[in-house]
Every structure is written in structure tokens, then in C-alpha cells.
Amino acid sequence: MKKIYLPLALAATLALGACSSDNVVDNGGSNPIDLSKGGFVKMSLNLPTDNNRGSRAELNDTLKDGLANEYGIKNAYLVLFEGIDENNKENEAKFKGAYELENSDFRDFEAVGDDPNHVTITKRIAFANGTKPQSGRKLFALVVLNNNNLFTVNATKHELTFDDTKVDAAAYKSTSNFINFSKALASTSTDGTTPFASNVATNGIFMTNAPLCTEPGGATAPSTDAKIKTLADVTNNIYTTEAEAKSKPAAEIYVERAVAKVTVQSKSKTNALEVNKNISYKLYNWAVDNTNKKSYIVRQYDNNWNKLYSDKAAGANKYRFVWDTPVNPNATEANKRYRTAFAQDPEYLTTTDSTKYNQMGNNASMTLKTTFGDNAPQYCNENTFKVEAQNQDQTTRVVLGVKMSEPGTDTYDKDLYTINDNKEVVYTKATLAERLKNILLQESDVKDWVAKHATDASFDITFDTDKAGETTITKATFKGKTTTPGATEEKLESFTTKFDNALPNIVRYKGGVAYYAVRIKHFGDSDTPWNKEGQNVTAGGNSNIYNTSSTDSENWFLGRYGVVRNNWYDISVNKIQTLGDATIPAFTNDPDDVLENYISVSINVLSWSKHTQGADL
């Protein structure tokens, strides 16, 4: 059984109390609850484990639970909204009050037995200023776990205040409804760290309610009546006594993490390059790159996605945006809920520029890590975009540093070189020097000089820079001394006329490290298959690459690339074709799908979720 680490316990009930005789909630029956006598709301909080992830046909890999810290609850808050539950009016619900859940609110650990997914809480609260819900209105609940210091809650006034240095909540301050609350923008720190996972071991991962659909997707389309519900209706779960609340059904809340997770698996054995079997490689370091600087507090889902359909995907994946297995399979049909699989990030509707992203080339604080595997994840904000913006400079990627051996040896960490962009022929310093020497010896004055110094001439290569991975122009020199003691040293250097023409571009791979960019796929090849042969694509813009009308483009390819919160993207390298770049790969506005790849990787997608990707480099 999965261990979920909480500060106090795994189970209890959530109580709702008040101190004003005006506080009355109509629970849909003839006997409204008078909160002046103490009202108790029973709620069951479902953590985002694999057991309630729903199902997708391609997610058939071994499920993994993730790390203990990714389930930990360091603090918890209940945020109540008041509104109506019809015609998708959830976004208009008004803020009613916020309450921090203290240690004393967690109890009755044995109440849920061996089920690791449920956390219940007991909390007595009072509405701010004793105001009552309006007649016919309902109470909706949002739970926030691990707030990572993005907001504070006033224990007396029950007000929630965002930290202005970390969150832009201007719209919410103006109109305190749910949509403005959910769209408050959290910003990354200067080192590119997502604010939702600033220190997972200490602060945990920020979690809120997940948007769920009232009808399944997968092989069949949700109907036009299908609704997306994020808030939990707790109106009918209010009871007059705590004992009664414990004996009655709970209002179910399903939370999700606000970050995407990426891991890279490192194979223990070494492998050979496909185009040069004399060179073996091993993974050295990696980092998540081109990540969103901002993210919504709560995931945003467009109900119009429910009807998008791909006739190129397998049957169970045709309506990919809603999963086909309910998170609550024991509920009645009317109350079953299904996970949704995509999101709109703050930049979704715009074509963004590089200033909107955390990029390694523009941020010295972003560094590559040398640890791999499930125990070394990196977290980032979700990043999604429309198909016409599905370009390499828009897409979150993984930068992989790969160490190459000297050709024909098992020696690593030595500088390697290429000439004139030919990555299929790789030189060591010694073999490069020999080639340069042979070119320079075609010069008559060089020949004369070497003949003069036949006993003491030496050849050397001097680099303009020692920076790792930089493209460099070398200075090739012959040096020699006369045999007469005390004579002035004689040098012949910088013979560049023919040298520059023959070898205009020498690239140095510092320490033998080559870099590759792996753009992360969300729906990937199963749900959004792309067939370059079948579509007769040619290099060019997205209209050529995806070769569809705008309608089919959305149906077939929306979400093929990108990262979404609460998804785990696990990348393993299948094979590497040839040498990569000597520096961090530059961004282009070319489409994400390319006609040639240097690396082959696999991306698995689970829910946590986990995605595993393969790529040819």
C-alpha cells in the first residue's frame, strides 16, 4: 500500500459551524440547516494517486506512485464559494470564506481503514461577519494543499490574501468570484523554479481541486450536456451534529498537483552512435528548459475540447480530452466524474516570445543536473498552446548532455572536434592536429621552415576560449628553436590563408559532451499520431508539416506537444544517431515535428500521470 505522509492523520470529517442565527443553508430539502447550532460538512479528500487516475488505452506501463514527498500535506486550506449549480455557473460563485486547517482538525485516522487515497478533516468555522448564504444558493468547496507561501488566511475575518510579490490576483481583488480566484497568476522565481514546488521536501507540492467531466470520453464523445466541475458541492453534506456527519456520505473532492513532473532514466550500459559505431555514449546531465514563467492557481479546461475527435487514433483514444473510467466508480451514474486531460495556460491564446519562458541560455541560474531516475525529478509549470503555435520555441523541452568516448576507445572526458559541420567524422586533439598539420604543409614556406627545423620543430593547437562546448576557431602553430644556445627563439605561426579556406569551422566539444533537445509530448503518438510518409509532408511551416485544414488540425493534433500539471513525463533514450550540438541547442520557430531526428526517445505518460518518451537524435 502506498504511504502518504501527512502532518497528522489520513482521515477525519470536515465540520462547518457558525455563530450567527442568520446562517442558514438550504440543503435542497424541506429542513434547512441552522448553522447557529453548529453545522458539520463531511468531506473526503482524494489525493492524486494512480488508483484514481482513470484510464487511457495507451497508459499500459507499470504504474508508479512517485516519491513520498509528492503526496505529503504540509498545510491545508478550505476555501468556500457561494453560487448556483446550473448552466455551468460555477465560475460565477462568490468567495465566502477561507479557513486554515490546524493540527487539531485531523482525527479519526482509523475511519478509512486501508484506503490510502482519502483524507478527511474536522473543522468548525464561522462565516465572515456572520453573513448567511442567500436562499436557493449553494456552498462549494475548494481545497488547497501546501500553499508554498503564495497566500495567507486571516483566522478572524476568514479572508484569503495572495502575496503580491508571487501572485498577480488583480482581477480577484476587484471581483472575488471563483474564475478570478482560479486565474490568479503565480510567477516563477529568478532561478526558474516553479512557485508550486519551491521546496518539495519542506513545503510539499501545491494542490487544488481537479476539473472533472460529468461524462466519459475515450471511445465515445461526451454529450453537449456534459459539464466540467472543479468545485465540490457540499450543500447536501451539512449535518447538525458531528456524529451524524460521520455516519453519512461525504462530499468527494479530487485534488491534483499544480506542476508537471519530468524524469530522465539513465541506462547503466554504454551504447554506440548509429552513424559511428566507434564512439560510445552515456548520459551525463539534463534539465527541463523553456518552461512557463507563469501559471494559473487552478487548472483551466475548455469544455469545447470534449468534442475534438481524431479518426487517426486508436478507438479508445479518439476523444482524448476526457478519460473513460470514472475516478469514483462506485458512485451513481449521475454522480460519476471523469478526469480531463489538457489545460489552457496563461499564454495559450497568444503567440509568445522568449521573454515568456525560462530558458537556460538566458538564465545563468538554470543549470543541468547530473542525477537521473525516478528519485531525481524536476518540476515545471504547465505549458500548452494551439496547433499553429506548436513550434520548437514554444515547447517545453529537456536538454540532455551526453558524454562521447574518444573514437575506438572507452575513454571519456576528453575534448572532441568536428570540422565544417560534419558530425559523422569526430576528431581527438591528436587526430585534429595531424589533419591541420597536413593542410599547412601544403604551404611552401611552411615546408621550408619545417625542413630547417627538422630536429626541433613541434606542432600545437591553441584555442581562443576554454569555455565548455563553445564553437572555437583554432590557431594552428609550428614552433621551433635553433640549436645554437642563446639564440633568439624562431617561430612560424598563424599560417591561415589556406587553413581558413579549407577548415573554416572547427567545433570543440568540451569534455566530449554533446547536447540534444527533446521536446516533450503530451498526447504523443498514440492519441495524436503524425505520419510524415502518409501525409506527404515537406519541410516548412506547420501548414505543411501537419498538412490539414484548421478544423482537422485541432481535432488531430491539439495537445500533441506540451506539458500539463499533475502529469509525469518520463524520458528514456532509445538510441542516438549522431553527434549533437557543442552548446545548448538554439531555439527556432520550426514545427515541433521534424523530418530528421538525431535522437530517439520514449515518453511514458501516467497519472501521477506519467509520460515516457522516446526520440531519435
Side-chain angles (χ1 to χ4, degrees):
M1 183 183 76
K2 183 196 325 298
K3 300 294 185 182
I4 298 178
Y5 296 87
L6 304 176
L8 298 164
L10 294 177
T13 43
L14 179 67
L16 177 60
C19 57
S20 169
S21 60
D22 289 333
N23 287 328
V24 177
V25 171
D26 183 352
N27 67 351
S30 58
N31 298 309
I33 302 298
D34 182 356
L35 296 182
S36 65
K37 297 179 180 178
F40 296 84
V41 175
K42 185 175 183 181
M43 302 178 68
S44 179
L45 178 62
N46 298 270
L47 293 179
T49 67
D50 289 323
N51 292 337
N52 63 37
R53 69 183 182 87
S55 69
R56 288 252 294 284
E58 80 277 14
L59 305 183
N60 54 8
D61 302 287
T62 301
L63 299 182
K64 298 186 178 182
D65 293 341
L67 306 177
N69 284 334
E70 296 169 347
Y71 294 88
I73 298 178
K74 311 300 181 180
N75 50 66
Y77 298 85
L78 171 66
V79 185
L80 293 178
F81 295 85
E82 179 188 342
I84 58 177
D85 185 24
E86 60 183 38
N87 299 322
N88 292 320
K89 294 288 187 179
E90 178 181 271
N91 285 337
E92 299 176 11
K94 298 295 182 63
F95 174 80
K96 191 65 177 174
Y99 308 86
E100 182 174 5
L101 304 176
E102 307 292 346
N103 289 2
S104 59
D105 302 322
F106 292 82
R107 38 185 148 147
D108 297 339
F109 172 69
E110 299 298 332
V112 286
D114 292 331
D115 191 335
N117 300 331
H118 296 279
V119 179
T120 52
I121 309 156
T122 300
K123 179 69 175 179
R124 178 176 294 277
I125 66 174
F127 289 128
N129 302 318
T131 57
K132 66 179 181 179
Q134 298 178 33
S135 177
R137 310 281 282 186
K138 294 190 175 184
L139 284 179
F140 300 98
L142 179 84
V143 170
V144 179
L145 305 179
N146 307 323
N147 77 332
N148 274 260
N149 301 312
L150 297 181
F151 61 79
T152 58
V153 168
N154 183 289
T156 303
K157 296 181 179 180
H158 309 301
E159 296 172 343
L160 185 148
T161 304
F162 287 105
D163 183 340
D164 289 338
T165 65
K166 300 175 181 178
V167 180
D168 178 0
Y172 172 71
K173 292 177 182 178
S174 175
T175 304
S176 56
N177 56 18
F178 175 61
I179 187 61
N180 289 338
F181 179 94
S182 68
K183 284 192 170 183
L185 287 172
S187 301
T188 59
S189 57
T190 55
D191 63 357
T193 302
T194 169
F196 297 135
S198 55
N199 184 327
V200 174
T202 301
N203 300 328
I205 295 178
F206 191 97
M207 305 184 203
T208 63
N209 296 25
L212 302 176
C213 189
T214 58
E215 296 184 20
T220 59
S223 73
T224 55
D225 294 329
K227 297 179 176 62
I228 302 300
K229 293 182 176 293
T230 303
L231 298 174
D233 183 352
V234 299
T235 309
N236 293 332
N237 301 92
I238 301 176
Y239 305 99
T240 55
T241 67
E242 184 174 3
E244 183 183 15
K246 289 182 178 180
S247 68
K248 295 296 178 66
E252 299 283 346
I253 295 181
Y254 293 84
V255 298
E256 62 184 5
R257 303 171 188 86
V259 296
K261 170 182 173 178
V262 183
T263 52
V264 175
Q265 303 300 328
S266 176
K267 297 179 180 179
S268 58
K269 65 179 181 178
T270 57
N271 301 274
L273 294 180
E274 292 293 306
V275 300
N276 192 334
K277 298 296 185 181
N278 289 324
I279 297 177
S280 59
Y281 66 84
K282 57 184 178 181
L283 299 189
Y284 172 53
N285 54 16
W286 70 285
V288 181
D289 192 21
N290 212 39
T291 59
N292 241 336
K293 288 186 176 181
K294 296 183 182 295
S295 186
Y296 291 129
I297 291 291
V298 180
R299 179 160 62 94
Q300 304 297 307
Y301 182 84
D302 187 341
N303 203 35
N304 292 319
W305 292 334
N306 291 353
K307 65 179 182 291
L308 293 185
Y309 165 82
S310 174
D311 59 3
K312 296 184 177 299
N317 302 334
K318 289 187 180 300
Y319 295 93
R320 62 189 178 276
F321 289 89
V322 180
W323 291 6
D324 55 7
T325 300
V327 296
N328 53 346
N330 296 323
T332 63
E333 284 300 316
N335 291 317
K336 286 181 179 178
R337 298 291 180 264
Y338 302 84
R339 285 203 179 274
T340 53
F342 202 51
Q344 279 195 2
D345 74 8
E347 308 295 341
Y348 178 82
L349 296 176
T350 63
T351 300
T352 58
D353 56 58
S354 61
T355 63
K356 303 291 185 179
Y357 295 102
N358 298 297
Q359 296 180 342
M360 296 195 65
N362 300 327
N363 190 339
S365 299
M366 297 176 63
T367 58
L368 290 94
K369 310 297 183 183
T370 56
T371 50
F372 294 84
D374 289 353
N375 293 326
Q378 295 183 32
Y379 305 101
C380 63
N381 292 333
E382 60 192 358
N383 178 23
T384 60
F385 28 78
K386 302 181 73 173
V387 174
E388 55 261 36
Q390 198 163 271
N391 295 326
Q392 296 182 27
D393 56 357
Q394 307 283 301
T395 305
T396 295
R397 67 182 189 175
V398 166
V399 172
L400 284 175
V402 182
K403 282 191 175 181
M404 304 292 172
S405 71
E406 288 190 317
T409 76
D410 57 0
T411 301
Y412 288 88
D413 302 313
K414 299 294 185 179
D415 291 352
L416 299 175
Y417 308 87
T418 60
I419 295 174
N420 296 346
D421 296 323
N422 183 359
K423 294 182 178 181
E424 295 185 9
V425 180
V426 179
Y427 297 86
T428 64
K429 183 173 182 179
T431 58
L432 176 62
E434 187 65 25
R435 177 165 180 181
L436 294 177
K437 180 178 179 180
N438 290 335
I439 290 174
L440 292 177
L441 284 173
Q442 303 305 310
E443 300 279 350
S444 59
D445 49 355
V446 176
K447 283 184 180 180
D448 294 342
W449 188 89
V450 171
K452 178 180 178 181
H453 295 281
T455 60
D456 62 354
S458 64
F459 183 75
D460 188 35
I461 304 174
T462 302
F463 293 95
D464 295 334
T465 178
D466 193 46
K467 291 182 179 179
E470 276 209 7
T471 300
T472 61
I473 300 298
T474 62
K475 180 173 68 175
T477 64
F478 282 103
K479 296 181 180 179
K481 292 183 179 179
T482 61
T483 56
T484 304
T488 303
E489 181 180 4
E490 234 185 309
K491 293 182 180 180
L492 180 65
E493 57 185 3
S494 301
F495 284 84
T496 60
T497 303
K498 290 188 177 180
F499 168 67
D500 285 347
N501 291 332
L503 304 177
N505 184 24
I506 298 177
V507 175
R508 181 188 193 188
Y509 288 78
K510 179 68 175 175
V513 178
Y515 295 94
Y516 301 85
V518 177
R519 291 172 296 283
I520 300 178
K521 295 176 181 176
H522 179 63
F523 286 125
D525 295 331
S526 295
D527 289 2
T528 52
W530 178 76
N531 186 330
K532 63 183 179 182
E533 288 82 13
Q535 294 168 213
N536 298 314
V537 300
T538 57
N542 290 50
S543 60
N544 292 327
I545 287 292
Y546 299 113
N547 196 28
T548 68
S549 70
S550 59
T551 300
D552 283 340
S553 183
E554 293 282 296
N555 278 323
W556 293 350
F557 299 117
L558 180 61
R560 174 168 166 79
Y561 288 86
V563 293
V564 177
R565 70 180 68 196
N566 207 63
N567 281 256
W568 176 359
Y569 304 86
D570 182 58
I571 298 175
S572 57
V573 174
N574 300 329
K575 60 184 177 181
I576 297 179
Q577 303 286 350
T578 189
L579 203 62
D581 293 335
T583 58
I584 302 299
F587 290 101
T588 71
N589 61 357
D590 294 330
D592 283 324
D593 285 299
V594 294
L595 301 181
E596 294 181 356
N597 270 325
Y598 292 150
I599 188 170
S600 172
V601 302
S602 295
I603 298 181
N604 284 332
V605 183
L606 300 178
S607 182
W608 195 100
S609 300
K610 181 177 178 180
H611 300 237
T612 298
Q613 174 172 319
D616 291 325
L617 297 183

